[in-house]
Amino acid sequence: MASITRDFPARGTVSRFVPSLVRRTARAVLMIATLPATTLFATTLFATTLFGATLFGAALFGATPAAIAVGGRPLVAPTFNGGVYAIAHRGSTVYVGGSFTSANWGGRSFARLRLAAFDARTGKLLGWAPPADGTVRALAATPGNVYAAGDFHQVGGQKRDSLARLSPFTGGVGSFRHALSGTPYALAIAHNRLYLGGSFSEVDGDKRRNLAAFSLLDDRLDGRWHPAADDSVHAVAVGGGTVYVGGGFHTVDEVHGTLRLAALDGATGRPDPRFVPRPPAEVHALAVDPAGIYAAMGGVGGRAIAYTAAGVPRWQRVFDGDAAAIALEGGLVYVGGHFDNACLTERNGTHGGCTDGSVPRVKLVAVTSTGALAPWAPQANGVIGVRVLSVNHESGRLEVGGDFTSVGGLDLRRFASF
């Protein structure tokens, strides 16, 4: 469920493709103008329900090419025999963590005990395969390291209690070693620190209530950064000098107004008392850009809410199931979760159903910068559906992980790349 967000990534990664998008969209419009009505209807249905917001679908529904960051048809990538909980990127390499024990690539099955990596350019499964003996729930990467957090006690044959540092090349286990009294859920890297959120009470015997940080320079627990959340932290995201945390907590450091979502100083951990968004339900994932903060949450049904940097709501979308993951790319907000429909208004019933009508958005949805639904809709299946979304800003790909077994009617087990 963790959302791994770095300092403001470069937006508009796909801007260099816009001229070709415009040309191809124009050709598509000219082509469909000559089709018989029945053929046009069938082609429209195929393009917009199976493949979502393709160029063709964008032309029909009025979406501008600049607002289409990813295609609707999944790209080549490995699949897995168990849930995918975490995704991180280092250049063109995608690192994946979860509860799986094997990965499938090229018609073959390969042992991958809860950690794996592949090349985003080709989809090829790589040899990187440090085995973990428990579920990997969060990943974060630097140019020289991959950090993993989860339910494991051993990684790569080395004793590691819930946290490990791995070589991004060989998978070798580094000297970074700490004892955690509980479960980690989220990691983020910034300010020469590794920030950790979860459900725990101590780190290395020192009191840490659900939040902690470690120095990337000497691997030590940061003695200065120790805000205390009174309940679980599910998401950590960084924007500039601020660390945003979301979860099921009521307060951080007993500061009034820090319910479920708080802004902390990246150096001291002090909550910003002016940032008081007070989201209506437990926060599962966060993403940040210069315009503000985006939260995916549960509750009765589920919702995604965009806030300004001051914590003032800008827009919200309501669904008939939890929103569990959120990511940003190319002017769109991507949301994944357990839902099957997006509500037409902000109202839903006592059991989460949409009160004023809905449109199908099965486990995945894209929302514009103003909160409107985008046509992108590559339907995934399953009860849990999507657990994690992550954007590789180098390749412009959106990576999707979870417990689904198909996307857009294609056999894609627990992982898809767009």
Side-chain angles (χ1 to χ4, degrees):
M1 295 185 187
S3 176
I4 302 170
T5 308
R6 301 174 178 83
D7 285 302
F8 300 151
R11 304 293 299 278
T13 304
V14 297
S15 60
R16 61 185 180 276
F17 300 119
V18 169
S20 63
L21 285 172
V22 173
R23 289 193 298 270
R24 283 150 53 189
T25 302
R27 285 198 298 268
V29 172
L30 289 173
M31 178 187 72
I32 63 175
T34 64
L35 294 174
T38 54
T39 305
L40 174 58
F41 174 79
T43 308
T44 303
L45 182 64
F46 174 80
T48 56
T49 60
L50 178 59
F51 296 141
T54 58
L55 296 172
F56 177 71
L60 290 177
F61 285 93
T64 62
I68 300 174
V70 300
R73 185 172 187 173
L75 305 170
V76 176
T79 58
F80 300 88
N81 73 335
V84 171
Y85 288 65
I87 303 169
H89 304 99
R90 178 187 166 275
S92 61
T93 302
V94 181
Y95 299 91
V96 181
S99 61
F100 53 84
T101 56
S102 68
N104 295 291
W105 166 252
R108 296 178 57 194
S109 178
F110 300 84
R112 291 293 186 272
L113 298 180
R114 304 170 187 92
L115 284 164
F118 70 92
D119 189 323
R121 296 166 298 185
T122 64
K124 181 181 179 181
L125 186 69
L126 301 178
W128 192 88
D133 66 352
T135 298
V136 174
R137 297 182 177 274
L139 291 170
T142 68
N145 296 292
V146 175
Y147 291 88
D151 301 336
F152 51 81
H153 300 287
Q154 287 193 354
V155 179
Q158 304 292 318
K159 290 184 178 180
R160 291 293 183 272
D161 183 11
S162 304
L163 295 168
R165 185 181 69 210
L166 307 167
S167 166
F169 311 106
T170 67
V173 181
S175 59
F176 179 83
R177 184 172 181 176
H178 295 276
L180 190 71
S181 64
T183 303
Y185 294 130
L187 293 172
I189 290 174
H191 317 130
N192 287 321
R193 291 177 174 89
L194 175 70
Y195 296 99
L196 172 69
S199 180
F200 52 86
S201 58
E202 292 184 348
V203 178
D204 298 336
D206 291 341
K207 187 175 181 179
R208 290 292 188 278
R209 292 188 65 188
N210 307 309
L211 286 163
F214 305 89
S215 170
L216 296 183
L217 303 178
D218 60 17
D219 292 346
R220 294 180 181 178
L221 178 67
D222 191 324
R224 187 183 178 195
W225 203 89
H226 50 78
D230 66 357
D231 207 336
S232 298
V233 174
H234 296 299
V236 181
V238 179
T242 302
V243 177
Y244 298 93
V245 298
F249 52 84
H250 297 87
T251 64
V252 177
D253 283 350
E254 300 182 351
V255 174
H256 182 70
T258 52
L259 175 70
R260 304 186 184 106
L261 178 56
L264 312 178
D265 187 282
T268 67
R270 294 192 187 97
D272 182 349
R274 300 165 299 178
F275 184 83
V276 287
R278 295 187 181 93
E282 187 168 9
V283 174
H284 297 309
L286 295 171
V288 183
D289 71 5
I293 303 92
Y294 306 80
M297 58 193 73
V300 179
R303 61 194 67 216
I305 302 181
Y307 297 95
T308 68
V312 178
R314 294 160 47 208
W315 54 258
Q316 72 171 306
R317 294 297 322 186
V318 176
F319 310 101
D320 64 354
D322 284 5
I326 197 162
L328 313 173
E329 175 63 3
L332 292 178
V333 181
Y334 295 92
V335 183
H338 317 326
F339 51 84
D340 294 322
N341 296 283
C343 302
L344 296 180
T345 70
E346 296 177 1
R347 299 198 311 154
N348 55 9
T350 56
H351 299 292
C354 300
T355 303
D356 303 314
S358 64
V359 293
R361 289 294 188 273
V362 186
K363 317 307 183 203
L364 287 165
V365 65
V367 183
T368 72
S369 59
T370 61
L373 290 175
W376 188 81
Q379 302 178 5
N381 70 345
V383 176
I384 298 298
V386 174
R387 291 183 181 271
V388 59
L389 296 173
S390 187
V391 171
N392 185 332
H393 294 284
E394 181 169 300
S395 66
R397 290 192 178 192
L398 174 71
E399 257 76 58
V400 182
D403 289 276
F404 52 85
T405 57
S406 72
V407 178
L410 303 175
D411 186 7
L412 295 171
R413 298 175 184 269
R414 288 104 189 172
F415 190 90
S417 179
F418 295 92

